[in-house]
Amino acid sequence: MTAKEHTLLSKFYENRNRIVTNDALCQATWGDDYYGYENTLMVHIRRIREKIEPNPSNPAFLLTVRGLGYKLIVKED
């Protein structure tokens, strides 16, 4: 896992089972000068899904919340 992927996954885990906005993800990963990284964010999300999802094309854990951001589903016992 790359450093950026690790940063994103950490942000998701801190906010598990809650929606994390695209802006919050970009700012956590690239800082205040994140303008223009939205497409790069999508690429990183895809790569994370390829590593954690059984079927990255139909994710069960890292879900897209259209128009808002993403949500990491974590089932806790």
Side-chain angles (χ1 to χ4, degrees), residues 13 16-17 60-61 63 72-77:
Y13 191 74
R16 59 193 171 273
N17 299 319
F61 304 113
L63 307 178
L72 179 67
I73 303 299
V74 176
K75 296 179 183 174
E76 298 183 29
D77 294 330

Side-chain angles (χ1 to χ4, degrees), residues 3-5 7-8 11 24-31 34 41 44:
K4 298 291 186 198
E5 291 169 357
T7 301
L8 287 167
K11 183 72 173 175
L25 292 168
C26 286
Q27 186 162 11
T29 308
W30 292 283
Y34 68 86
L41 175 64
H44 285 292

Side-chain angles (χ1 to χ4, degrees), residues 5-22:
E5 291 169 357
H6 184 268
T7 301
L8 287 167
L9 199 53
S10 294
K11 183 72 173 175
F12 283 126
Y13 191 74
E14 289 171 8
N15 296 283
R16 59 193 171 273
N17 299 319
R18 291 183 289 185
I19 297 169
V20 184
T21 65
N22 291 333

